[in-house]
Amino acid sequence: MNSWIGDEMAEETKQFKNTPELYVRELHWRIALHREYGAYFKKNDELLGLADRMRKKLHKREVGDISRVTLHYLFAKSRDTYQSIQILCKTGFGRDALILVRSLLENLITILYMFQNKEKTEERITEWIQCDLRERKILLDTIERQSSDFFKIKRKWLRKKREIRKSYEQLPEKIKKKQGWVNKGYEQLAREVGLKEEYIYYRTLSSLAHSTSASAKGYMRIDKNRVVIQAGPGRKSIPDALVFSHRYFLMILDQVNSVFDLDEKENIAEHKRLYSIGGKDCQL
């Protein structure tokens, strides 16, 4: 039998003997990971189910103001990011899942800051949209200066040129001069919404997102003066990705439930109780 799998697992998948090895390898990992982290996968899938119930409730609501429309979008985006994290974990790619955990945390910080103060919510969201329109204009100018077709991206953007420039001209002067949506940066935003410690974790995840030298040891090692590449599925980082993605997505659902009054407070509280680091129901 292959050295990287046990005899029992090999027996379970021997029916795939004529299947490409890469597929069989993935199947073995799915089985092994489900045995090891099955309780976590189950709880994360249940949270995804809660999110979809909330989504169906939102389908029956009227559109509402700009703040609610924006939260609809950030909720939908976070939901798909969360599911993508689960898929990566179930196939043994925990380190790549952590990159998406970082994105999920960014969404959480953004949502909490937007809705932190009801009197400032509309102003903050309006500026968030306006700053994006400004960035589109800056990107359009950059694309126009490219001599190549730039994989057809240039033609796509040039078709929108008139619309982008018209939107830009209507922006307030203060927005045109801003360097970003908020001048504070994510570190200060995290502090303001009570996620100071989470931002420290966000910074550690940045080393994975930006492929720094600090993350190199997870992908290679030196053995007898030779480089051994450690690529492919494995167990590394899966517990962190599962626990923290659940934590952040649950906080997003809590905010969505609060803003839209979806009557899911008890279910959200139940998820908080059942699933915790070192909790009796899901313990690594």
Side-chain angles (χ1 to χ4, degrees), residues 47 245-254 268 271-272:
L47 187 63
S245 65
H246 186 283
R247 170 179 167 79
Y248 301 149
F249 190 50
L250 185 57
M251 292 175 74
I252 290 172
L253 295 188
D254 198 10
I268 289 171
H271 274 279
K272 288 180 181 178

Side-chain angles (χ1 to χ4, degrees), residues 43-281:
K43 294 301 179 186
N44 283 8
D45 288 344
E46 287 173 357
L47 187 63
L48 195 61
L50 172 60
D52 285 342
R53 287 203 308 275
M54 293 170 66
R55 179 165 58 95
K56 288 178 182 178
K57 289 183 179 181
L58 288 173
H59 287 168
K60 299 176 183 178
R61 301 289 182 89
E62 293 184 0
V63 173
D65 58 22
I66 189 173
S67 65
R68 295 193 169 214
V69 172
T70 300
L71 188 54
H72 271 91
Y73 156 66
L74 290 172
F75 167 48
K77 185 175 187 299
S78 299
R79 184 254 178 235
D80 282 0
T81 298
Y82 181 69
Q83 185 174 20
S84 298
I85 292 167
Q86 310 316 310
I87 292 171
L88 285 169
C89 286
K90 289 175 180 179
T91 51
F93 292 94
R95 289 173 296 193
D96 284 292
L98 283 178
I99 296 173
L100 293 183
V101 171
R102 179 180 180 271
S103 299
L104 196 63
L105 178 53
E106 249 182 38
N107 285 353
L108 173 61
I109 293 171
T110 298
I111 291 169
L112 292 181
Y113 180 73
M114 283 178 170
F115 292 88
Q116 180 186 45
N117 185 330
K118 289 184 179 180
E119 294 179 359
K120 295 183 178 181
T121 292
E122 187 173 341
E123 176 188 347
R124 289 176 175 177
I125 291 177
T126 299
E127 288 197 0
W128 176 73
I129 294 170
Q130 290 174 337
C131 285
D132 180 61
L133 293 173
R134 179 181 60 82
E135 288 300 315
R136 291 187 200 180
K137 165 64 166 55
I138 293 171
L139 183 57
L140 173 65
D141 292 343
T142 303
I143 290 173
E144 276 193 299
R145 291 194 293 268
Q146 304 303 311
S147 57
S148 68
D149 201 25
F150 203 54
F151 299 107
K152 299 183 180 179
I153 290 177
K154 183 175 181 179
R155 280 183 286 172
K156 178 182 176 182
W157 275 78
L158 291 181
R159 285 197 296 269
K160 299 180 179 179
K161 180 166 64 174
R162 183 178 298 177
E163 174 190 340
I164 292 171
R165 289 202 165 130
K166 182 179 179 182
S167 297
Y168 176 80
E169 292 303 321
Q170 295 173 348
L171 295 177
E173 286 301 316
K174 70 170 187 175
I175 297 296
K176 294 178 182 179
K177 295 176 181 178
K178 286 189 78 170
Q179 296 299 311
W181 170 45
V182 288
N183 295 324
K184 302 174 181 181
Y186 270 96
E187 181 175 8
Q188 190 171 338
L189 290 190
R191 288 175 180 271
E192 289 192 19
V193 298
L195 295 177
K196 176 184 174 182
E197 292 181 353
E198 306 295 343
Y199 181 77
I200 297 171
Y201 187 50
Y202 174 89
R203 289 186 61 184
T204 65
L205 296 181
S206 296
S207 66
L208 284 172
H210 302 299
S211 299
T212 65
S213 60
S215 64
K217 67 179 182 180
Y219 293 88
M220 56 178 283
R221 62 183 173 84
I222 306 298
D223 184 25
K224 296 180 181 179
N225 206 33
R226 292 181 183 275
V227 175
V228 178
I229 303 298
Q230 297 174 308
R235 293 176 175 80
K236 193 172 181 64
S237 301
I238 288 177
D240 282 353
L242 290 173
V243 170
F244 285 103
S245 65
H246 186 283
R247 170 179 167 79
Y248 301 149
F249 190 50
L250 185 57
M251 292 175 74
I252 290 172
L253 295 188
D254 198 10
Q255 185 67 44
V256 171
N257 180 66
S258 176
V259 171
F260 290 105
D261 193 20
L262 298 177
D263 195 29
E264 294 287 355
K265 189 174 180 179
E266 288 186 10
N267 287 324
I268 289 171
E270 185 72 359
H271 274 279
K272 288 180 181 178
R273 184 186 69 81
L274 288 176
Y275 193 117
S276 61
I277 301 174
K280 64 181 180 66
D281 294 277

